[in-house]
Amino acid sequence: EVQLLASGGDLVQPGGSLRLSCITSGFTLTDYAMTWVRQAPGKGLEWVSGFSGPEQSTHYSDSVKGRFIISRDNSKNTVYLQMNSLRADDTAVYYCARFGGQPYWGQGTMVSVSS
Amino acid sequence: AIQMTQSPSSLSASVGDRITITCRASQYIRHDLDWYRQKPGKTPELLIYAASTLHSGVPPRFSGSAFATEFNLTISSLQPDDFASYYCLQTYAFPRAFGQGTRVHI
């Protein structure tokens, strides 16, 4: 059974850092385009960052490029999102998702950036 | 980066209505576009991929079409389960981009 479990969300001050984790099971991590998507309260979906291709290249939206870093640990079946220089407009539920074939979404983890 | 412009942002409808939601891409994306439905408090569900292919298990009242850089999602007869938000997602290039969303309400 495919499962994605996101964690690490918290309340953080502007300028702070946070690392999100997405523990996966039921499939091979590198066979799919693992992705982070966020949704600000009452707003729409925003694609944030993801892997692509056999070489597992990394990609970022313009809004997070230079501040966020996506990575993975295949031995732990886990994808990470290191978030630095956080701003108020980064406040959102962060979902990890598996794209390619049947999509799967984790339940999301809440990140709040506020002083 | 490719931008997706989705319209309308909100739509009032009734059970049984036929509705169409549109996404326009800022540049050519072939037919590399997916449609998702998101019910309140839930994660998004894939409805259509490659602009017009119905995802497994999705009812045939959903259909997708494409004309150059304009993509449409049509629901032929709205059901109570369809009062939700809808998003397009371009899968042609990175970074990916969702449309702004369409909230379908009674």
Side-chain angles (χ1 to χ4, degrees):
Chain A
E1 179 190 6
V2 172
Q3 291 190 327
L4 296 86
L5 182 63
S7 63
D10 204 346
L11 171 64
V12 61
Q13 292 189 341
S17 297
L18 210 54
R19 189 178 82 157
L20 306 183
S21 300
C22 176
I23 300 174
T24 72
S25 60
F27 64 99
T28 301
L29 208 55
T30 50
D31 285 348
Y32 294 89
M34 297 305 298
T35 301
W36 288 94
V37 175
R38 69 185 181 184
Q39 188 166 34
K43 303 297 183 182
L45 302 170
E46 180 184 6
W47 189 94
V48 174
S49 180
F51 290 99
S52 73
E55 70 282 6
Q56 293 287 291
S57 302
T58 58
H59 306 275
Y60 301 91
S61 68
D62 289 345
S63 60
V64 308
K65 190 179 297 182
R67 300 188 299 124
F68 291 11
I69 301 171
I70 191 172
S71 63
R72 71 184 189 278
D73 185 332
N74 297 337
S75 67
K76 296 181 178 179
N77 295 315
T78 301
V79 180
Y80 302 99
L81 187 67
Q82 176 66 43
M83 304 187 295
N84 301 321
S85 302
L86 283 162
R87 311 185 304 220
D89 61 359
D90 293 318
T91 294
V93 173
Y94 285 72
Y95 298 101
C96 65
R98 186 194 89 168
F99 288 99
Q102 167 67 46
Y104 282 90
W105 294 63
Q107 86 292 357
T109 186
M110 183 69 203
V111 172
S112 296
V113 184
S114 174
S115 54
Chain B
I2 297 172
Q3 296 180 354
M4 304 303 298
T5 303
Q6 187 172 340
S7 61
S9 58
S10 179
L11 190 161
S12 177
S14 302
V15 173
D17 283 354
R18 177 185 179 92
I19 66 164
T20 296
I21 298 168
T22 299
C23 265
R24 286 186 176 84
S26 60
Q27 66 181 73
Y28 173 71
I29 60 169
R30 293 188 307 205
H31 282 188
D32 295 342
L33 183 115
D34 298 344
W35 287 101
Y36 285 84
R37 175 179 68 182
Q38 185 181 30
K39 299 175 187 176
K42 303 294 186 181
T43 57
E45 312 164 83
L46 179 64
L47 299 173
I48 287 172
Y49 62 93
S52 60
T53 303
L54 210 60
H55 184 54
S56 174
V58 174
R61 65 179 181 272
F62 293 94
S63 64
S65 61
F67 310 92
T69 57
E70 180 174 307
F71 301 84
N72 291 329
L73 170 70
T74 298
I75 308 175
S76 60
S77 178
L78 270 174
Q79 299 303 300
D81 217 24
D82 300 333
F83 291 94
S85 293
Y86 294 82
Y87 298 89
C88 63
L89 170 67
Q90 69 84 7
T91 59
Y92 178 73
F94 288 95
R96 304 291 201 228
F98 286 95
Q100 298 93 329
T102 297
R103 177 175 164 259
V104 178
H105 59 95
I106 298 175

